[in-house]
């Protein structure tokens, strides 16, 4: 009996070891982000040590630059790069476009296939009014889970082809990973296709359509944290963003900022 119990215990050791490893992976406290871009999948993240100053990303501007990627512009100049992620049309994009037009502010709209399919007139208006329409992939998957170059390319090419069918123009080669999920391999894949990857240096929780922030809550996040060279991410599905954008742009202008295109950002 004793020998049988010992044999059973030996058989259970690999199982217990694996269970322990899974537990640790699921419950461990993440370490501080490394200075270099991880080879494995990661999420783009920021911390703001000081209000009014540029944040710290989980990869530096220098690290990203070698892969043709950006999250921050010229920190010596009071310039803002406006970007919008557009998963679908929620009735607010035209109001956003109206505010941008009033301020003569260029922006980049990172769109998915559904946005082009269901709101082609708005897509055409974006292009006609001089905004960049960028590639947010066709289906909005976790691109960091795609290691095959052909599969990665298909997500971007499908969106680019649909844009050309809709507007008659080539899609500008700017790419934003869905949900900010990326890896070093992804950055290389996008670069190989001629895309410039654009993250962001300022955003706030504006994407829950049934739990929108108040204007005051939005200003409390977007005004103190604005900084030189900011790449601002907003969602076009947000009612709050549409309602405050005119006044928000005015407030930033009053603070001495100007608005510039991503074309200028990527020339730095």
């Amino acid at each position: 009996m004793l020998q049988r119990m010992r044999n059973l215990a030996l058989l259970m050791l690999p199982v217990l070891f694996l269970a322990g490893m899974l537990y640790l992976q699921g419950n461990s406290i993440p370490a501080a982000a490394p200075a270099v871009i991880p080879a494995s999948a990661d999420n783009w993240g920021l911390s703001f040590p000081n209000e009014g100053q540029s944040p710290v990303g989980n990869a530096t501007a220098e690290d990203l630059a070698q892969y043709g990627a950006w999250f921050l512009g010229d920190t010596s100049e009071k310039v803002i790069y406006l970007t919008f992620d557009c998963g679908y049309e929620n009735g607010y994009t035209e109001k956003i476009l109206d505010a941008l037009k009033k301020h003569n502010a260029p922006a980049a709209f990172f769109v998915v296939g559904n946005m082009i399919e269901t709101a082609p007139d708005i897509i055409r208006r974006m292009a006609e009014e001089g905004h960049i329409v960028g590639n947010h992939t066709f289906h909005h998957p976790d691109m960091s889970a795609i290691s095959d170059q052909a599969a990665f390319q298909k997500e971007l090419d499908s969106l680019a082809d649909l844009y050309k069918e809709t507007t008659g123009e080539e899609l500008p080669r700017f790419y934003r990973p869905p949900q900010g999920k990326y890896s070093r391999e992804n950055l290389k894949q996008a670069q190989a296709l001629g895309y410039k990857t654009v993250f962001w240096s300022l955003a706030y929780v504006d994407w829950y359509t049934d739990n929108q922030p108040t204007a005051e809550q939005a200003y409390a996040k977007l005004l103190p944290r604005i900084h030189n060279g900011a790449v601002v991410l907003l969602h076009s599905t947000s009612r709050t963003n549409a309602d405050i954008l005119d006044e928000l742009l005015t407030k930033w202008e009053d603070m001495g900022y100007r608005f510039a295109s991503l074309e200028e950002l990527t020339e730095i």
Side-chain angles (χ1 to χ4, degrees), residues 82-86 96 100 107-111 176 232-236 241 245:
L82 298 168
T83 72
F84 295 84
D85 282 4
C86 309
I96 288 171
L100 294 170
F109 291 86
F110 288 92
V111 304
R176 172 165 285 161
V232 178
L233 162 60
L234 301 172
H235 285 81
S236 64
N241 288 341
L245 189 60

Side-chain angles (χ1 to χ4, degrees), residues 37-48:
I37 300 165
S40 58
D42 204 349
N43 292 342
W44 178 245
L46 298 166
S47 62
F48 288 80

Side-chain angles (χ1 to χ4, degrees), residues 1-10:
M1 176 64 72
L2 182 59
Q3 184 61 40
R4 190 179 304 165
M5 292 178 65
R6 286 175 179 170
N7 291 340
L8 179 61
L10 289 172

Side-chain angles (χ1 to χ4, degrees), residues 180-232:
K181 292 185 176 181
Y182 77 105
S183 68
R184 184 171 59 202
E185 287 80 4
N186 288 159
L187 299 180
K188 289 179 179 179
Q189 287 168 328
Q191 188 178 37
L193 296 173
Y195 278 91
K196 299 165 184 175
T197 300
V198 181
F199 293 102
W200 58 89
S201 65
L202 178 60
Y204 79 118
V205 180
D206 61 349
W207 56 86
Y208 294 116
T209 56
D210 57 351
N211 186 25
Q212 281 286 284
T214 64
E216 291 73 21
Q217 289 171 331
Y219 290 140
K221 295 292 186 182
L222 296 171
L223 293 178
R225 288 183 170 179
I226 197 63
H227 50 273
N228 290 5
V231 179
V232 178

Side-chain angles (χ1 to χ4, degrees), residues 120-133:
D121 290 342
I122 294 177
I123 297 296
R124 283 189 282 266
R125 180 183 171 186
M126 291 172 182
E128 289 167 1
E129 295 186 357
H131 301 296
I132 288 172
V133 179

Side-chain angles (χ1 to χ4, degrees), residues 69-199:
W70 287 261
F71 83 99
L72 187 64
D74 186 351
T75 58
S76 68
E77 186 179 354
K78 295 181 78 68
V79 58
I80 295 172
Y81 305 92
L82 298 168
T83 72
F84 295 84
D85 282 4
C86 309
Y88 60 96
E89 176 49 32
N90 201 28
Y92 305 122
T93 310
E94 291 205 273
K95 189 173 182 179
I96 288 171
L97 286 167
D98 290 343
L100 294 170
K101 188 174 184 179
K102 178 179 177 180
H103 290 263
N104 194 29
F109 291 86
F110 288 92
V111 304
V112 300
N114 176 73
M115 182 70 183
I116 300 179
E117 290 174 333
T118 60
D121 290 342
I122 294 177
I123 297 296
R124 283 189 282 266
R125 180 183 171 186
M126 291 172 182
E128 289 167 1
E129 295 186 357
H131 301 296
I132 288 172
V133 179
N135 202 321
H136 204 35
T137 74
F138 194 96
H139 296 101
H140 202 263
D142 175 359
M143 295 294 278
S144 68
I146 299 177
S147 58
D148 178 66
Q149 179 73 20
F152 184 94
Q153 182 172 349
K154 185 177 180 181
E155 270 296 326
L156 274 64
D157 282 356
S158 297
L159 192 284
D161 291 345
L162 180 59
Y163 178 81
K164 187 170 185 179
E165 291 172 13
T166 304
T167 66
E169 301 177 8
E170 296 291 338
L171 182 76
R173 294 273 166 156
F174 292 90
Y175 162 65
R176 172 165 285 161
Q179 303 176 66
K181 292 185 176 181
Y182 77 105
S183 68
R184 184 171 59 202
E185 287 80 4
N186 288 159
L187 299 180
K188 289 179 179 179
Q189 287 168 328
Q191 188 178 37
L193 296 173
Y195 278 91
K196 299 165 184 175
T197 300
V198 181
F199 293 102

